[in-house]
Amino acid sequence: MIIPTEVAQSVADPKAYADDKRAHDAFTWLRKNMPLGRAELDLFDPFWVVSKHADILEIERQNELFHNGDRASVLTPKEADRKVREMMGGSPHLVRSLVQMDNPDHMKYRRLTQAWFLPQNIKKLENRIREIARSFIDRMEDKGGACDFARDIAFLYPLHVIMEILGVPEVDEPMMLKLTQELFGSADPELNRNKKAVDDVAANVNAVAATVAEFIAYFNKMTADRRANPRDDVASVIANGEIDGKPLGELEAMSYYIIVATAGHDTTSNTTAGGMWALAESPSEFAKLKANAELIPLYLEESIRWVTPVKHFMRTATADATVRGQKIAKGDWMMLSYPSGNRDEEVFEEPFKFKVDRSPNKHIAFGYGAHVCLGQHLGRMEMRILWEELLPRLKSVELNGKPRWMEANFVCGPKTVPIRYTMH
Amino acid sequence: MAEPFKVWQCSNCGFLYYEAKGLPEEGIPPGTRWADVPEGFECPLCGFAKRDFEMVEV
């Protein structure tokens, strides 16, 4: 059950996700020939690749048997893992947020902000978010019929929303975007901190650590401010929150800010950009959506499935287990491949077709089980509002150049989507 | 007068089950009271069990 080297390399290589087809070809091969195979590559400790939708659900629902935090929670080269552990006193994590935690901490930390992100709470933000969406659509109109939808709209709109919710002033938004891209684009020479190809793993870990340090310096100041002057924002919840009657641990508090300030917009941006890309290259799907605005919720779910911005998370078996008849040993490392699950031929009819009216659409882009995305309702609401406002004004759209994906195997989306359009 | 329909929420992910709407795509017709939802029901967004839902005001 050892995955052929070329296929395993396509699963691990950030460049394969920039190519998109190369990564999907590898996963299609795996689902057909080796749905739960073991990758043995020189640069990495061995890991299982979980490519089937049903297996991802089974593992995610058993969060005591398959832990997030026992080993690196994203695919990390051996050399980088060694370096991180050296820096972090033996821990494989540079930060300790919800995605690196297991119970009992995970549940306690999740509960801290959960109420904030529930549908009944974010409903009160609807009018304000609509105002923000309209301002971005006005900006699109001002561009005069051509823009880079990724850079001009999709990256900035969810960023502005989450920064208001978190409590970061608008003037700091460009910095937050830059740091987010350095973190998630750490393998991409156009986005990473050193702005060059990664040829030295240790130097890359240092660059990511420097980005994290910059975030921490910023949020340390914010903590002091919100403790002195609490407001109605998520930063105040984190700064003044308590776990078991005590303030959050320092690393945990900083990590909480960082996850909200990064994952809180980047994934929505990726999906928004990718959803526009798909419409721009499929006039018939755009026409179908344009003719029936009631399809917007289905279109959004299809965009989320299509892009699947979170490409994987790793899990570690806490005991010997069996998945799909395969023995998994205690301590084994497993990659849950969400883009693969979301193209699973056993779950989705014509999975490689983008259909604005796909139903049912039981995608797993937000994960499943105890670790399912906390911000999924907000992400959906932001995208719904944007499209409710944009669709009536957008008369036509087509590509105006070649869109490109970023080079990343963890969080990955389009980095440029040039479009030409007319508006009503 | 019939009791008004209620809304139930998954305590893990926040998914809302509206009794009035049911969940036809999961085979639960509109108007199905929470008590009549099968015991084996799982949250469609995160897989948590029926017992992990709470009644909420929306």
Side-chain angles (χ1 to χ4, degrees):
Chain A
M1 298 304 266
I2 308 296
I3 299 172
T5 304
E6 196 186 317
V7 176
Q9 277 169 343
S10 293
V11 166
D13 183 1
K15 288 188 172 61
Y17 295 82
D19 180 289
D20 197 39
K21 185 176 180 309
R22 192 178 136 208
H24 275 306
D25 283 351
F27 290 126
T28 301
W29 187 91
L30 285 168
R31 286 192 302 278
K32 187 175 174 198
N33 301 292
M34 209 178 277
L36 184 56
R38 191 170 161 90
E40 295 192 351
L41 295 166
D42 291 344
L43 287 179
F44 300 90
D45 284 331
F47 61 95
W48 296 96
V49 180
V50 185
S51 64
K52 294 290 285 180
H53 187 280
D55 297 343
I56 295 170
L57 295 191
E58 185 184 337
I59 291 168
E60 291 234 44
R61 71 166 76 231
Q62 299 180 77
N63 57 308
E64 304 299 341
L65 182 54
F66 299 103
H67 270 182
N68 282 40
D70 293 1
R71 297 174 67 171
S73 56
V74 297
L75 186 65
T76 306
K78 277 189 273 198
E79 175 62 16
D81 188 64
R82 190 194 59 72
K83 175 92 181 156
V84 171
R85 287 175 191 269
E86 193 182 284
M87 294 166 90
M88 301 302 291
S91 163
H93 314 297
L94 280 176
V95 292
R96 188 166 185 262
S97 71
L98 293 175
V99 297
Q100 286 88 20
M101 285 183 188
D102 294 288
N103 282 335
D105 285 359
H106 175 258
M107 193 187 292
K108 292 175 187 170
Y109 277 84
R110 187 177 167 104
R111 287 279 148 92
L112 191 68
T113 58
Q114 190 162 25
W116 239 98
F117 291 101
L118 288 179
Q120 57 268 46
N121 189 58
I122 59 173
K123 203 164 66 173
K124 71 184 183 195
L125 305 172
E126 173 130 5
N127 290 342
R128 175 63 189 136
I129 294 177
R130 196 171 292 280
E131 221 173 90
I132 298 169
R134 282 184 189 143
S135 75
F136 277 97
I137 296 164
D138 290 344
R139 193 182 294 189
M140 202 172 147
E141 193 158 356
D142 292 345
K143 292 269 174 192
C147 74
D148 183 335
F149 188 76
R151 291 177 182 170
D152 295 330
I153 308 292
F155 291 172
L156 306 179
Y157 161 63
L159 175 76
H160 190 63
V161 173
I162 198 70
M163 292 306 157
E164 273 202 14
I165 289 173
L166 183 57
V168 170
E170 191 171 354
V171 67
D172 294 332
E173 287 177 17
M175 179 192 66
M176 288 287 151
L177 179 60
K178 175 181 158 287
L179 295 179
T180 302
Q181 292 182 334
E182 285 177 9
L183 212 54
F184 292 146
S186 65
D188 190 312
E190 287 179 19
L191 300 175
N192 65 23
R193 194 172 179 93
N194 295 331
K195 299 288 180 284
K196 61 176 214 173
V198 178
D199 46 15
D200 178 344
V201 170
N204 197 44
V205 172
N206 283 335
V208 171
T211 299
V212 169
E214 211 174 316
F215 266 128
I216 289 176
Y218 184 90
F219 289 123
N220 257 325
K221 282 188 199 151
M222 192 171 233
T223 299
D225 176 70
R226 295 306 194 277
R227 283 186 179 154
N229 309 293
R231 300 185 204 167
D232 183 20
D233 59 22
V234 169
S236 298
V237 176
I238 298 170
N240 298 294
E242 292 190 344
I243 301 287
D244 295 333
K246 296 179 196 153
L248 278 67
E250 196 184 330
L251 177 64
E252 287 79 4
M254 293 303 120
S255 304
Y256 222 130
Y257 289 113
I258 293 172
I259 196 173
V260 176
T262 56
H265 61 95
D266 204 64
T267 46
T268 312
S269 298
N270 289 335
T271 305
T272 304
M276 178 62 97
W277 176 353
L279 287 182
E281 63 182 8
S282 178
S284 60
E285 292 303 300
F286 176 66
K288 209 186 290 178
L289 182 62
K290 181 80 183 150
N292 184 3
E294 286 184 9
L295 291 177
I296 288 175
L298 295 184
Y299 158 70
L300 297 180
E301 295 305 320
E302 181 68 340
S303 300
I304 298 165
R305 181 191 78 90
W306 192 246
V307 176
T308 309
V310 178
K311 302 302 176 189
H312 79 273
F313 269 115
M314 303 300 288
R315 294 289 191 268
T316 303
T318 61
D320 291 350
T322 304
V323 178
R324 195 171 280 272
Q326 173 66 52
K327 287 203 167 123
I328 305 294
K330 179 181 177 181
D332 276 3
W333 209 24
M334 312 179 81
M335 171 192 265
L336 307 182
S337 172
Y338 303 111
S340 181
N342 282 342
R343 294 290 191 279
D344 192 333
E345 298 78 0
E346 284 190 304
V347 178
F348 302 98
E349 209 174 281
E350 300 186 291
F352 286 92
K353 274 198 176 163
F354 183 86
K355 302 179 182 184
V356 295
D357 54 355
R358 182 180 290 280
S359 179
N361 188 350
K362 293 177 84 73
H363 67 76
I364 43 172
F366 291 117
Y368 197 70
H371 287 274
V372 74
C373 176
L374 187 60
Q376 62 173 307
H377 304 292
L378 177 64
R380 283 192 173 98
M381 185 167 105
E382 287 175 51
M383 291 188 279
R384 171 178 59 76
I385 292 172
L386 181 74
W387 281 96
E388 282 172 356
E389 294 297 324
L390 178 55
L391 195 59
R393 291 171 66 180
L394 189 62
K395 198 170 165 187
S396 68
V397 61
E398 60 184 352
L399 289 179
N400 189 26
K402 197 172 160 38
R404 285 185 298 134
W405 296 94
M406 62 193 279
E407 290 181 24
N409 64 14
F410 172 39
V411 178
C412 173
K415 58 180 171 188
T416 169
V417 180
I419 56 168
R420 194 168 30 227
Y421 49 91
T422 54
M423 295 184 85
H424 292 291
Chain B
M1 209 170 78
E3 200 184 335
F5 286 120
K6 298 189 172 68
V7 182
W8 294 76
Q9 184 161 46
C10 174
S11 62
N12 180 54
C13 73
F15 172 79
L16 294 166
Y17 173 80
Y18 294 84
E19 291 181 340
K21 294 183 194 169
L23 266 180
E25 61 276 25
E26 304 282 332
I28 303 172
T32 304
R33 303 281 182 185
W34 186 245
D36 298 323
V37 168
E39 284 310 308
F41 173 81
E42 289 180 348
C43 174
L45 293 189
C46 73
F48 268 49
K50 185 181 173 186
R51 64 173 176 276
D52 297 312
F53 278 65
E54 295 154 1
M55 196 171 65
V56 289
E57 299 287 333
V58 178

